[in-house]
Structure formats: structure tokens, C-alpha cells
Amino acid sequence: MKSLLLKTQTIAFLLFGFTIALAQNSMKVPSDAVFYMEINGKQLNKKINWGKFNPFLQQIDKKEKGKPSWNDYSKTGIKYDATQKHYARISDSVKSYTAHFVLDNKDKFLEFINSTKKKGLEISKKTNYSYIDLDEDLFVAWNDQHAMITLINYHKKEKDIWDDAVYTIDSTANAVADSVYVEVDTAATAIYEEEAKPFDYKEEIKYLKDEIKYLKSDIKSYNADIAKYQKDIKYLEKHHKYPEEKKQKETTTDSAYSEETVEAMPPPASQDDYLETDVYPLDSEYQKEMDSLNAEKFKIVKSIAENNFDQYFKSNMEVEATGEMLNFRDANSDVFVYADYGNIINEGMYKNLYRQYDFAKILGKLYNSNTAYNLYFDKDKVRLVNHYQHKDPQTQKSISAVYKGKKNRKLAALISDKSIGYYAMNVNGFKYFDMMYTLLQDAGDQEYQKEMQLVMETMKIVLDEEAIAKIAPGNGIFVLNELKSKKVEYTDYDYDDDYNEKEIKKTKDVMVPDFTFAFATENEGYWKRIFDVLTTNKDFAKKFTKKGDFYAFKDGKNNGYLDQLFFTVKDGIVYLTTSTDNLSSKSQSSASEKWMKDSAKYPLSGRLDIQKLLVGLEKEFKSNSERKTFDLLKKNVGDMYFKTEASGESIQTEMNYNINSSSENSLMYFFDLFDEIFKNKEAEKKDHAL
């Protein structure tokens, strides 16, 4: 009995251990990935009309390669109804983008690869996968059921010009076995410290050789100039003067040459004026070195790709992202994207700039956040739901407090049915100061924390946050009512035969916005005093006047986009508008009443009727090609709407684009629109060719 129990326990332990081993053998998305995306193939594949999509892709392929390389993109061997997973990484030396696919037909996928790869390239076979380089930085690998493609950009780590003391280590190229990348370039992984050293003639020789490479790199661009100067020398030696300039081209050897001849390639050295010309050809040794450097770079990139492939195909090929990346994922969305903007910005091109000016910690805290997007291609609209979350809970709490302001329905009354669009905000202006203090807290250099604390305390004493918040509590709205045509004067220039300049006054039609900007205030007297100063000051009064309850600004010139602006303060609202009629009450339809409610309900909201906007911009489209594009857009574009609010532990923004078309769904709507634009462009090219 004991023996049976012992065997049962042993088997159970082995099974449990095997299960754990399988779970640990999954492919982990690197924790330092700055971008992660899941494409829900099960849903998207149902929404793609391959009958329309294939001809379009074939036309694009034909345009690039002269003939289509593949005749059916719905049958590439990739399982389109499976989930695709993509991610990207950034470091000083290596930037990479990786995508994982599931295959449903390995042979078909191999055919597709063979049609895409360059001629002469052979497929490399490893123990459990095969791979090929489609380009110098693009590699694809596959086995019977899975495929992986990776794009790798490698740049050798060089001396940090922003910090002469240290060569920073490339963490990506120096990763250990549990990372995707491996140590492949000792030059990219070494740490150098600038310290007093005895003179090293070998190091000096290397430096001089590098300088020669740099100088040789410009030889080709200077060859034409060198040849021209040598020609001038020979001409001066022979004729004791420069050649006379002539408008007509001359073909004889010693004739004067025009400006066009000067800029053209120099004539052969066999001519009289070139008997002793010593034009420097491209250095073959330099070319060999460049080829060698490119080959070495490819070797490094290839090694990184191989190690990526090795790690993936040794796993169970289940790609798992971290919980932080998936925190806001909706399994029903068509596409999910996670982005770490903090690392994208701080590890990207601005990293060294921040370090030079001690911005790293401050900006690092500002951008220390996660952002997630869920994209939905619905039948009648495209919907995008965005979540923003700061990684520090206290900072996120301060940010969320800003989005919990008072509502103001008076501002909503400015929206009408005829409005092209609006942008409304109802935030807490007082809490904005707390948010800024939180972001600055402990963000500076550790050495100056006491000084930073003192500056913050001084700001709190000097700034009366409550008084400032009363001037503008945080409720505001901008309404674009319409676009009106206006003739404006402008100065153009003409030139006579002797290139003498002459001014010409012309007129043109421009589109002028008719808008209203308004915001709430708890201190009307402050704004009235500002407007009174503008109308009584001898300098400002030339352009600012008062008419009843309104203050008016007029430039007096006919070359501006705005004729005049009106200001007033009424019932706790400060108004700035292009027409006083915009402030009168208007009839509201059910649609505009909904917009009014949303503009008062959400901290941030807005709407833009793109079709109405295009109608207002119609005169800006003048050529036949532009008119065709305009007519196409006007027929198909819809309207956009967004709303933002504090939701749980994040700031959530939902954006909707309502389509105006007969397409099967919003995904094919974009395809149909691009297809029509593409066909118009191709037809226009044929007309020009005829």
C-alpha cells in the first residue's frame, strides 16, 4: 500500500513538474519592450474582403517590382484567423521589431517566401527551424506551425558626445541568456572610462586611420569641384583670364562654358586643358573597408536574429506578455496596443540631450507611464479606446483629480446644429497645481533635493492657487461655427529682363473661421479691468474699442484672416468671438442636445464634422486632381467624436469615427477610400503620359 502511494505521489510530482516546465518554457515578451501589439485575427479575418484586397495588393506589388510576385495574399500559408503578436525594443545600439505568426500551410508559406526573397539567397536550416534574410536587416524564420519575423537596426555604440566621461553600456547587445539579445559585438558592450593613461602610439594610429576614413568619405562629392578648379587653372595659364560667359552652349574644347556646363560633370582628361589634371578616383581601399564594415554589421545583426530565433523555437512558442502590458486589454477588440512612452522618449534620440541638461529625472517622471489602446472596426464606425496610467500611483491620483471638475451647462449652449465642431473641457484648475507639485516632487537631481523643495515651497507661497483658480476654474469651450470666404490683399513680385524687382499687389480668397471661445470665471471684475485697460491705453486703444457690453479688436488691414474679434464678460463667462450673433440662443435638435449634455458631462469632449469642414475648404482645392480628391473625400468622410474621463486607475479616452459609406464595415471603408484615391492617381498619370 505504501509502495502504491509512493508511486502515485511520484507520478503526480513528475506530472506537476512537467506542467511547470512547460509553463516556464513559453516565450516571454521582453519586460523592457516599449511596444506590444496583439492582432485579433479571428475577428479581423471575417471583416476583410480578400476579393477586393488581393487586386489592390497586386497593383502595389506590380508598381514596386514591375510585376506582381504573388497572386493571392489570402493564401500565403499564414493562419489569418489566429492571433498575431508584435513587440519592439529600443537601446542605444539596437532597435528591433518582432512579429509572431501561426501557419496553416508550411509549403504555401515557403512558396511565398521564395517569391519575396532576393535571387541567389539560400535558406538556412537549423535543428528545429529554417530561416532566411529577406534584406540586410530583415529576417524570417519558421517551422511546421509557426513563423517569426524580425527587423533589426544596429548602430555601433560610439562615444557619448553629451557626456565625455563615460561610454554607456549597450544593455541590449550585452544581454544574458534569458534575454532575446546576446553579446555579439565587444566594441558595443565595452565600458570605457576616461582616465589618465600613458601615450599609446597604437591608439593614436587607430585614431588617425579613422580620420582618414572620414576625409575619404567626402572625396566623391568633391571630385567635380576639384575638376572644375583644375580646369580653371589650366584655362588661366593658357589665356590669362577666365572664360567669357555665354548663354548658348559651346562644344569646342577652349570655348567659354556656361553655368550649366560648370555644374555638369567635367569633360574627359584627354582634352587640352586637362593634360595634367589629377582627379582623385574613389579609393578602392576605402571601399573595401566600407564593405568590410557593412559585412561586420550584417554579421552582428544576423547573430542577434539567430539568437532570437533559437530562443523562440526552443520554447513552446506561446508568446506571453507581462501583466502590466495586458492590464487594459479587451479580448473583444480587433487590435490591442501597449506603449511605454516613458522608455520610448527617454531611451530614444532625446536621451543624451536630457542628460546634458539634467532633465533625465524630471522628464523621466513626467513620461513614466503606460498607455494602452483597444481598436474596434465596427459596422458603422471605428472606435478607439485609450487608457493612460502613470506608473506612480500617487502621481496618477493627482492627475485623476484634475479630471474631476465642476460642470458648466452655460458653455454647452454655444453648440448648435450648424457647428462644424467643438472642444469642451470641465477640469479642476485648482488640482492642476497639486499635479504639477507631485510631478516635480523628487524629480530633480538627488544632490539638489533640498534646493528643489525650497523652490516648491516658495512657489506655493508666491502663487495663490485658489485666487488663480477663481480667475479660470477649468471650464471652457471652443466652437467652430463655419468657414467663410474672404478676399485678402498680398504682395507678389515680378522681374523684368534685367532682373529688377517690382512689387505687385494682388488679392486672393482665403477661408476665415467663424468661432467662439468661452470659459468660466469666478472673478468677472479681473477680466473687465483687463478689457478696460485695452480700450483706454493710448497704444492699445488704436485697435481696441468698446461698443455697449462688447469690446472689439480690429487690425485695420485687409491682409489678415480675421476682420475683428469681440470680447465680453457675462454671467460668469468670458467670451471671445468673431461675431456677436454667436452668443445668442439657438434652437437645438436632438443630436445637438446630446452634444450639449456630453460637453457638460465629461472632463474633455469634442466633435468634428469633417464633411462640413471640407465644404468650407472647397476653394482651397483648385487643380483638376485636387478637385477629384476633394469630391471623393467629401462623399466618403464622416465625423469624429471623443470623450475623456477618469476611470478607475487610468484616464480613459474614447474616440469614434462614424463612416459615411456603403462599405461592408469600417475596416473595408478605409480600403475602399484608399483604393479610389490610388485609382485616381494612376488615371491621372496615364492622362499626363498621353
Side-chain angles (χ1 to χ4, degrees):
M1 185 69 181
K2 288 183 179 180
S3 176
L4 179 61
L5 180 62
L6 182 61
K7 289 179 180 179
T8 303
Q9 289 176 336
T10 302
I11 292 172
F13 178 77
L14 289 173
L15 287 173
F16 177 75
F18 181 69
T19 303
I20 295 296
L22 282 178
Q24 291 176 341
N25 197 33
S26 61
M27 174 70 182
K28 305 291 184 183
V29 174
S31 58
D32 62 344
V34 297
F35 170 88
Y36 173 73
M37 176 172 66
E38 287 186 8
I39 298 178
N40 192 335
K42 186 176 182 180
Q43 293 185 175
L44 280 179
N45 194 50
K46 296 176 182 178
K47 299 176 181 180
I48 295 178
N49 184 335
W50 287 104
K52 289 183 177 180
F53 213 55
N54 265 318
F56 177 74
L57 292 177
Q58 290 168 14
Q59 285 294 323
I60 298 295
D61 196 13
K62 181 179 179 181
K63 185 177 179 182
E64 292 182 354
K65 300 178 181 178
K67 61 178 181 179
S69 58
W70 194 252
N71 56 9
D72 190 350
Y73 286 89
S74 66
K75 297 178 181 179
T76 59
I78 297 175
K79 188 176 176 61
Y80 288 117
D81 58 356
T83 300
Q84 296 180 18
K85 299 184 178 182
H86 305 235
Y87 57 85
R89 303 178 74 186
I90 297 175
S91 77
D92 292 327
S93 296
V94 181
K95 297 177 178 62
S96 67
Y97 186 94
T98 303
H100 296 272
F101 305 90
V102 177
L103 301 182
D104 61 5
N105 190 322
K106 176 188 172 183
D107 294 333
K108 205 70 177 176
F109 180 74
L110 187 56
E111 287 181 29
F112 178 64
I113 292 298
N114 285 327
S115 71
T116 306
K117 72 178 181 67
K118 295 178 181 178
K119 292 183 178 180
L121 288 178
E122 297 295 332
I123 294 174
S124 300
K125 294 187 177 181
K126 304 281 275 190
T127 304
N128 49 1
Y129 68 91
S130 302
Y131 81 95
I132 194 170
D133 52 300
L134 298 179
D135 209 335
E136 294 179 352
D137 54 2
L138 183 63
F139 300 81
V140 61
W142 64 92
N143 62 9
D144 291 340
Q145 296 179 325
H146 294 269
M148 174 180 175
I149 186 167
T150 183
L151 176 69
I152 301 173
N153 180 278
Y154 171 76
H155 178 73
K156 185 175 180 179
K157 178 63 182 174
E158 297 177 353
K159 185 175 180 180
D160 184 3
I161 63 173
W162 305 102
D163 185 357
D164 291 337
V166 179
Y167 283 69
T168 56
I169 188 168
D170 181 356
S171 58
T172 304
N174 191 35
V176 289
D178 59 348
S179 171
V180 176
Y181 301 134
V182 294
E183 184 175 348
V184 292
D185 181 18
T186 57
T189 59
I191 301 177
Y192 296 98
E193 294 185 358
E194 190 173 349
E195 58 184 53
K197 295 180 180 179
F199 179 76
D200 187 344
Y201 77 93
K202 292 182 179 180
E203 183 177 341
E204 186 67 14
I205 291 173
K206 182 179 181 301
Y207 166 77
L208 294 176
K209 286 183 176 180
D210 290 339
E211 287 296 299
I212 291 173
K213 291 178 186 177
Y214 172 76
L215 294 173
K216 286 180 177 179
S217 66
D218 282 342
I219 286 178
K220 183 177 181 180
S221 62
Y222 288 124
N223 269 345
D225 289 337
I226 292 172
K228 176 185 175 299
Y229 297 151
Q230 290 172 335
K231 179 177 180 179
D232 286 343
I233 291 171
K234 294 300 178 183
Y235 195 93
L236 287 167
E237 289 175 347
K238 187 174 183 179
H239 303 284
H240 307 290
K241 64 177 182 178
Y242 278 107
E244 296 178 1
E245 294 186 4
K246 292 184 179 180
K247 294 183 179 180
Q248 300 295 327
K249 293 183 179 180
E250 301 290 343
T251 56
T252 55
T253 303
D254 292 331
S255 62
Y257 50 91
S258 66
E259 292 181 2
E260 295 175 350
T261 308
V262 172
E263 294 179 359
M265 290 300 293
S270 61
Q271 296 187 28
D272 294 341
D273 289 339
Y274 283 86
L275 292 175
E276 300 178 15
T277 299
D278 184 19
V279 178
Y280 298 98
L282 284 175
D283 193 328
S284 59
E285 290 299 321
Y286 167 72
Q287 190 62 48
K288 289 179 181 178
E289 289 188 33
M290 290 301 297
D291 292 341
S292 176
L293 290 173
N294 290 333
E296 186 63 26
K297 179 180 178 181
F298 176 75
K299 181 180 178 182
I300 294 170
V301 170
K302 183 179 178 181
S303 297
I304 295 174
E306 284 184 348
N307 281 276
N308 288 345
F309 296 150
D310 287 342
Q311 184 177 353
Y312 176 63
F313 288 101
K314 285 179 182 177
S315 72
N316 62 7
M317 285 164 283
E318 290 293 330
V319 180
E320 293 184 1
T322 64
E324 184 180 48
M325 295 178 183
L326 302 177
N327 197 20
F328 298 106
R329 182 188 60 172
D330 180 3
N332 294 318
S333 64
D334 294 321
V335 179
F336 168 76
V337 172
Y338 160 86
D340 184 349
Y341 286 118
N343 281 328
I344 290 175
I345 293 173
N346 293 325
E347 296 299 324
M349 62 184 296
Y350 301 112
K351 176 180 179 180
N352 293 326
L353 180 63
Y354 295 160
R355 183 187 306 157
Q356 183 191 22
Y357 294 103
D358 295 327
F359 288 163
K361 290 188 177 179
I362 295 176
L363 292 174
K365 189 166 185 179
L366 287 172
Y367 291 109
N368 186 28
S369 60
N370 296 320
T371 303
Y373 304 88
N374 285 288
L375 179 63
Y376 308 81
F377 291 102
D378 297 333
K379 173 69 177 177
D380 58 346
K381 64 184 176 182
V382 181
R383 185 160 50 98
L384 179 67
V385 179
N386 162 236
H387 288 269
Y388 167 90
Q389 183 184 55
H390 201 280
K391 292 183 180 180
D392 176 34
Q394 187 60 38
T395 303
Q396 179 58 41
K397 185 177 179 181
S398 298
I399 295 173
S400 296
V402 176
Y403 286 81
K404 296 177 181 178
K406 297 179 181 179
K407 313 304 178 186
N408 192 307
R409 298 188 181 278
K410 294 179 182 178
L411 297 172
L414 296 170
I415 301 172
S416 70
D417 296 340
K418 295 182 179 180
S419 301
I420 294 176
Y422 71 87
Y423 177 86
M425 61 185 296
N426 297 286
V427 298
N428 190 328
F430 181 76
K431 291 295 182 180
Y432 179 81
F433 292 96
D434 292 340
M435 181 188 72
M436 293 306 300
Y437 294 143
T438 302
L439 290 173
L440 292 172
Q441 185 76 27
D442 301 327
D445 198 319
Q446 191 66 33
E447 183 180 353
Y448 301 103
Q449 278 300 301
K450 291 183 179 179
E451 290 82 354
M452 193 66 181
Q453 293 290 340
L454 180 60
V455 170
M456 290 175 60
E457 290 297 326
T458 304
M459 288 173 60
K460 291 179 180 180
I461 294 172
V462 174
L463 298 176
D464 187 345
E465 297 100 327
E466 187 174 353
I468 296 174
K470 285 184 177 181
I471 293 173
N475 304 91
I477 192 169
F478 175 86
V479 181
L480 179 61
N481 296 300
E482 61 178 321
L483 294 173
K484 298 179 178 179
S485 178
K486 175 190 173 184
K487 285 190 178 295
V488 298
E489 295 179 353
Y490 70 100
T491 302
D492 199 359
Y493 298 92
D494 196 5
Y495 300 89
D496 58 22
D497 295 338
D498 296 325
Y499 295 99
N500 294 315
E501 185 179 86
K502 181 181 179 181
E503 289 188 2
I504 301 176
K505 296 293 184 181
K506 294 184 178 181
T507 61
K508 63 179 178 180
D509 290 323
V510 297
M511 303 313 299
V512 177
D514 176 29
F515 67 87
T516 300
F517 171 65
F519 59 91
T521 183
E522 296 177 14
N523 191 342
E524 289 188 20
Y526 172 80
W527 293 105
K528 287 180 179 179
R529 286 193 294 272
I530 289 179
F531 298 151
D532 285 336
V533 169
L534 293 175
T535 56
T536 56
N537 180 278
K538 65 178 183 180
D539 294 322
F540 293 135
K542 296 176 182 178
K543 297 181 179 180
F544 287 90
T545 58
K546 185 177 181 182
K547 298 179 181 179
D549 294 332
F550 288 92
Y551 300 84
F553 166 81
K554 192 167 185 178
D555 193 13
K557 299 178 180 179
N558 193 36
N559 58 357
Y561 282 82
L562 297 176
D563 288 324
Q564 57 185 347
L565 293 174
F566 298 93
F567 309 80
T568 192
V569 184
K570 182 181 179 182
D571 298 331
I573 306 293
V574 180
Y575 297 93
L576 186 157
T577 182
T578 53
S579 173
T580 56
D581 293 338
N582 293 333
L583 307 188
S584 60
S585 59
K586 303 173 182 63
S587 60
Q588 306 287 343
S589 66
S590 58
S592 56
E593 284 181 358
K594 181 182 182 303
W595 305 335
M596 288 174 58
K597 290 179 181 179
D598 287 350
S599 68
K601 176 182 178 181
Y602 295 104
L604 298 176
S605 64
R607 179 181 176 274
L608 178 63
D609 190 325
I610 305 177
Q611 195 170 59
K612 286 184 179 179
L613 181 66
L614 283 177
V615 171
L617 295 172
E618 185 171 359
K619 290 188 177 181
E620 300 295 326
F621 297 82
K622 299 176 181 178
S623 68
N624 290 334
S625 174
E626 290 176 345
R627 293 293 306 179
K628 287 181 180 179
T629 302
F630 169 78
D631 292 337
L632 180 63
L633 292 174
K634 187 175 67 172
K635 178 182 176 182
N636 289 281
V637 295
D639 61 271
M640 297 183 66
Y641 168 80
F642 86 94
K643 58 184 180 181
T644 299
E645 59 184 331
S647 175
E649 300 178 350
S650 69
I651 305 300
Q652 177 179 307
T653 299
E654 179 178 333
M655 299 183 66
N656 294 328
Y657 176 72
N658 299 303
I659 67 173
N660 182 25
S661 131
S662 58
S663 299
E664 297 102 305
N665 52 63
S666 56
L667 176 62
M668 291 308 297
Y669 158 79
F670 285 106
F671 163 75
D672 290 338
L673 184 59
F674 294 148
D675 188 37
E676 285 295 324
I677 294 175
F678 178 79
K679 288 178 180 177
N680 283 345
K681 294 291 184 183
E682 291 301 307
E684 183 183 351
K685 289 179 181 178
K686 290 180 180 179
D687 291 341
H688 286 312
L690 294 175

